[in-house]
Amino acid sequence: MQILQQNNLLILYLCLFFCLCIGLFNCYEIMHRQYRRRSQKKRKEKWKLYFGQQLELYRENEKLREELGRQFRSRLHTSGTLLILEQVWDEMQKESKSGDGFRSMLELWMHMVLRAYGDSEETIQAYLIMLLGKYKIRTTQSIRFIFDMQRKENIDIQSEAFHSICRMNDGNYARLSLLRINRLEIEVNQKMITDAVMECQDKKGFFTAILPEMKNLKSYIQVGIISALDERAEESVVRVLKQRMRDEKEDKEVRIAVLKLFARYRDEETLDILLDYAASGEWEYAAIAAKSLARYPCRRTAKQLKARVSDKNWHVRYNNAMSLVTMAQQEDIEEILGGKDRYARDILQYALDSRKEGAYGVA
């Protein structure tokens, strides 16, 4: 009994010891975090003061630009981090005014950062590429750096490079960056391509440049580009896509992406293509075309949707029913609900209930 009590007491001491250690460690972490926050704040203020002084000297004498750049580069090796520099530049950019010289000095500072950190590990290189796009540093040196980085088989760098190039709003540069991605063995994220193209303000220049070469791109890249189009797309671009939809040898994923586009881009010729695909024997085409037909209310559309609402494939049936309850007249709905086809009645009732609940999805 006494041995048991001693063991219990020993366990209690050990628990108290561990609790004390955890408490001391947490106290250290809190104190260290507060110290680091104060230290970073001071460093940030020093950098902002330094950049302000450099900017003032540049305003007084633009010939000092290169000398100021060399001074900044030598300072990079002794103090500062890229994260702090980014925070300072963000604040200065908000405070800057047109013609105050900030943009000119920012380009110079970024060039010095590239020279200092350009040979760093790939994580740092990807971060530098992001900064170039964020601040739209569209100089010969910055573009060359990004394109040189795209020689690497690194998904993060490739993604960041194309995104940054698109942010610079130059359609031809975006085309060149995308062609580099097309030559890679690795596959870059398709959604990233879509998001980057959507962020490019020079979409007209980009599509004008990429359109002649688009068919030679890998299918996932083409899908990423097409997914970035909407109702404001250039008619010349959509016209080429319509022509390709008539080609039976066209890639299936590309066709599906164009069918989804036609839910956003509307005209009479588009309706003809959608009706053809909605009657297709391949269920993927029929299902997606049926979904897009919801945006084209007319008797031709209603007739096609009613014809496939009893299709043997559930996905085709579902999308046709959903589009039908969205745009059809009440008499069309009542005709099916009062008909003899139990599958058509069930899926249409399901679509009506889903519409009431706001659960309009795609099968």
Side-chain angles (χ1 to χ4, degrees):
M1 180 66 97
Q2 186 177 1
I3 295 174
L4 184 62
Q5 289 177 346
Q6 289 177 346
N7 288 338
N8 290 339
L9 192 61
L10 179 61
I11 292 172
L12 178 61
Y13 286 152
L14 287 173
C15 290
L16 290 174
F17 174 75
F18 282 122
C19 289
L20 180 62
C21 290
I22 292 172
L24 290 173
F25 178 76
N26 288 338
C27 289
Y28 168 78
E29 277 292 301
I30 293 172
M31 293 174 65
H32 180 68
R33 195 179 299 117
Q34 290 177 344
Y35 169 77
R36 187 170 54 190
R37 190 181 298 117
R38 287 195 298 268
S39 176
Q40 286 183 343
K41 185 177 180 181
K42 289 180 180 179
R43 292 172 70 189
K44 179 180 168 183
E45 290 172 351
K46 287 181 179 179
W47 271 112
K48 190 171 183 180
L49 178 62
Y50 172 75
F51 284 132
Q53 292 171 346
Q54 281 218 322
L55 190 55
E56 194 63 36
L57 289 171
Y58 172 73
R59 288 171 185 156
E60 293 175 2
N61 186 356
E62 293 185 7
K63 293 181 180 179
L64 293 174
R65 186 174 184 272
E66 296 302 324
E67 176 59 30
L68 294 173
R70 283 192 291 271
Q71 292 176 8
F72 168 61
R73 188 185 176 200
S74 64
R75 186 183 177 95
L76 276 175
H77 294 289
T78 57
S79 63
T81 63
L82 293 177
L83 287 173
I84 291 178
L85 295 183
E86 181 186 5
Q87 293 171 10
V88 174
W89 289 339
D90 285 346
E91 291 182 8
M92 294 183 71
Q93 185 168 246
K94 291 178 181 177
E95 298 167 2
S96 69
K97 297 178 181 178
S98 178
D100 68 352
F102 172 74
R103 283 294 308 175
S104 179
M105 285 302 297
L106 180 59
E107 289 181 358
L108 180 63
W109 293 330
M110 272 304 307
H111 288 169
M112 295 299 106
V113 168
L114 289 179
R115 293 179 65 181
Y117 294 97
D119 294 329
S120 302
E121 59 189 77
E122 291 184 343
T123 303
I124 301 286
Q125 291 173 337
Y127 184 71
L128 293 176
I129 293 171
M130 183 278 294
L131 290 178
L132 292 173
K134 178 179 181 178
Y135 299 120
K136 296 179 173 60
I137 309 297
R138 199 173 72 183
T139 62
T140 302
Q141 183 175 341
S142 64
I143 298 297
R144 185 186 300 119
F145 174 77
I146 294 176
F147 283 165
D148 285 345
M149 290 298 100
Q150 281 200 284
R151 294 175 180 172
K152 299 186 177 184
E153 294 276 334
N154 182 301
I155 292 179
D156 293 331
I157 286 181
Q158 295 295 337
S159 301
E160 203 62 67
F162 183 60
H163 206 146
S164 291
I165 288 290
C166 286
R167 281 180 169 183
M168 294 178 187
N169 302 324
D170 187 300
N172 189 51
Y173 282 147
R175 176 188 71 89
L176 292 173
S177 178
L178 203 57
L179 291 177
R180 281 168 166 76
I181 291 176
N182 190 58
R183 291 194 290 267
L184 296 173
E185 296 293 332
I186 59 175
E187 187 170 309
V188 176
N189 186 281
Q190 180 180 300
K191 187 177 183 302
M192 179 281 302
I193 295 175
T194 301
D195 292 343
V197 173
M198 290 179 70
E199 200 165 333
C200 180
Q201 294 180 5
D202 185 25
K203 287 190 181 67
K204 182 176 181 179
F206 169 72
F207 282 105
T208 300
I210 200 66
L211 200 58
E213 303 174 80
M214 191 166 168
K215 197 167 185 178
N216 298 323
L217 298 175
K218 294 175 181 177
S219 60
Y220 84 92
I221 297 179
Q222 295 188 57
V223 172
I225 295 172
I226 295 168
S227 299
L229 293 166
D230 55 23
E231 69 277 3
R232 295 166 295 179
E234 288 289 317
E235 199 279 331
S236 59
V237 176
V238 181
R239 184 171 61 250
V240 171
L241 294 177
K242 288 175 182 176
Q243 293 172 353
R244 292 180 61 182
M245 290 297 283
R246 302 296 190 187
D247 184 359
E248 295 181 357
K249 297 180 180 179
E250 187 58 72
D251 184 87
K252 188 173 187 177
E253 294 301 317
V254 174
R255 286 189 184 190
I256 289 174
V258 178
L259 286 174
K260 292 178 180 178
L261 165 65
F262 288 165
R264 307 185 293 273
Y265 189 96
R266 300 175 56 189
D267 62 19
E268 192 63 29
E269 188 179 357
T270 295
L271 175 57
D272 292 338
I273 295 173
L274 283 175
L275 289 172
D276 288 344
Y277 274 91
S280 172
E282 294 193 44
W283 73 266
E284 295 99 331
Y285 294 146
I288 294 171
K291 169 65 177 174
S292 297
L293 281 173
R295 297 289 303 276
Y296 298 80
C298 65
R299 295 313 302 165
R300 294 171 64 199
T301 302
K303 181 179 179 181
Q304 174 58 48
L305 294 173
K306 287 163 62 179
R308 299 296 293 268
V309 79
S310 57
D311 194 89
K312 63 181 180 180
N313 184 285
W314 187 89
H315 300 277
V316 176
R317 232 172 29 246
Y318 175 84
N319 281 1
N320 275 273
M322 282 295 191
S323 292
L324 197 59
V325 299
T326 300
M327 51 71 63
Q329 297 179 8
Q330 187 61 31
E331 60 186 50
D332 294 317
I333 305 296
E334 292 176 353
E335 179 186 338
I336 296 173
L337 291 177
K340 297 180 179 180
D341 192 319
R342 181 169 62 86
Y343 289 105
R345 292 199 311 268
D346 288 347
I347 198 66
L348 193 63
Q349 188 60 57
Y350 178 77
L352 288 167
D353 295 340
S354 298
R355 188 185 179 196
K356 289 178 183 178
E357 297 170 2
Y360 189 177
V362 185

